[in-house]
C-alpha cells in the first residue's frame, strides 16, 4: 500500500483530486464567511489572487501541489469535525472559529487566528484539537462502522 506522501506526490493523483479539493475549499470558506484575504492566507504563499479568481470562476488550470492539497485537506477535516458537533446548526461552526478559546492550542486566540497565523502547524493543531474533542477522527472504514457500502 502506498504511503500518503507517495500518493500526494503522484502528479496524476494530484490532478484527479484537485478539482474536488478546490470545490470543497470554496464551499467551506463560503460557509464560514471568510474574506478573500483569509482564503489566500489559509492557502499559503503559493496561491495568488488571480489563481483564486480562476478557481472561483470554475476552473483549475493545473494540479494543486502537495502544500495546497495538505492545507485544503486539513481545512476539510476541520470542517468535518465541526460538523460532528454542529450538524443541526451549521452557522455555529463559523461562530466557533471566531470565538476566543483559553485551552491549548489557542491560548486566548480564536481558532481562525491560529489557522491564519500558524500555517500548516496551526491548521494541524486545530484539527487535532477538534478530533480530540470528538473522541478521534472519523473512521473511513465501512466495516468498522458496521455499514454496508450498498444503500
Amino acid at each position: 500500500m502506498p504511503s500518503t506522501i507517495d500518493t500526494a506526490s503522484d502528479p496524476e493523483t494530484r490532478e484527479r483530486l484537485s478539482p474536488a479539493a478546490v470545490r470543497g475549499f470554496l464551499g467551506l470558506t463560503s460557509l464560514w464567511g471568510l474574506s478573500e484575504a483569509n482564503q489566500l492566507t489559509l492557502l499559503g504563499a503559493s496561491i495568488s489572487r488571480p489563481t483564486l479568481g480562476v478557481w472561483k470562476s470554475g476552473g483549475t488550470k493545473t494540479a494543486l501541489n502537495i502544500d495546497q492539497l495538505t492545507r485544503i485537506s486539513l481545512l476539510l477535516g476541520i470542517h468535518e469535525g465541526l460538523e460532528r458537533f454542529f450538524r443541526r446548526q451549521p452557522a455555529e461552526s463559523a461562530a466557533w472559529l471566531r470565538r476566543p478559546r483559553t485551552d491549548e492550542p489557542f491560548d486566548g486566540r480564536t481558532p481562525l487566528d491560529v489557522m491564519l497565523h500558524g500555517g500548516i502547524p496551526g491548521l494541524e493543531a486545530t484539527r487535532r484539537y477538534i478530533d480530540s474533542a470528538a473522541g478521534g477522527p472519523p473512521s473511513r472504514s465501512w466495516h468498522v462502522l458496521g455499514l454496508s457500502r450498498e444503500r
Side-chain angles (χ1 to χ4, degrees), residues 3-146:
S3 69
T4 301
I5 195 69
D6 291 337
T7 301
S9 297
D10 178 53
E12 289 177 12
T13 301
R14 288 187 294 111
E15 187 172 334
R16 182 176 49 82
L17 295 175
S18 292
V22 167
R23 284 190 308 274
F25 173 79
L26 293 174
L28 83 88
T29 58
S30 174
L31 180 69
W32 289 349
L34 298 183
S35 68
E36 187 173 273
N38 285 346
Q39 292 172 13
L40 289 167
T41 299
L42 289 172
L43 290 169
S46 63
I47 297 290
S48 66
R49 193 173 301 276
T51 298
L52 184 59
V54 168
W55 289 9
K56 288 179 178 181
S57 69
T60 54
K61 296 194 182 224
T62 60
L64 301 179
N65 64 37
I66 294 171
D67 178 78
Q68 295 158 347
L69 280 173
T70 298
R71 289 169 180 271
I72 292 173
S73 175
L74 288 165
L75 288 163
L76 292 173
I78 290 165
H79 170 67
E80 182 179 27
L82 290 173
E83 280 288 301
R84 288 185 276 163
F85 294 109
F86 306 118
R87 185 169 313 278
R88 298 194 195 293
Q89 300 171 309
E92 188 58 29
S93 293
W96 184 89
L97 290 170
R98 289 171 172 81
R99 203 173 292 129
R101 305 199 54 85
T102 57
D103 36 353
E104 288 288 330
F106 308 113
D107 299 321
R109 297 175 293 166
T110 68
L112 182 58
D113 187 54
V114 169
M115 293 188 306
L116 287 170
H117 295 83
I120 289 177
L123 293 168
E124 288 174 331
T126 303
R127 171 74 190 266
R128 276 191 310 273
Y129 176 89
I130 292 168
D131 285 347
S132 174
S139 174
R140 299 281 185 245
S141 177
W142 288 93
H143 71 276
V144 170
L145 294 172

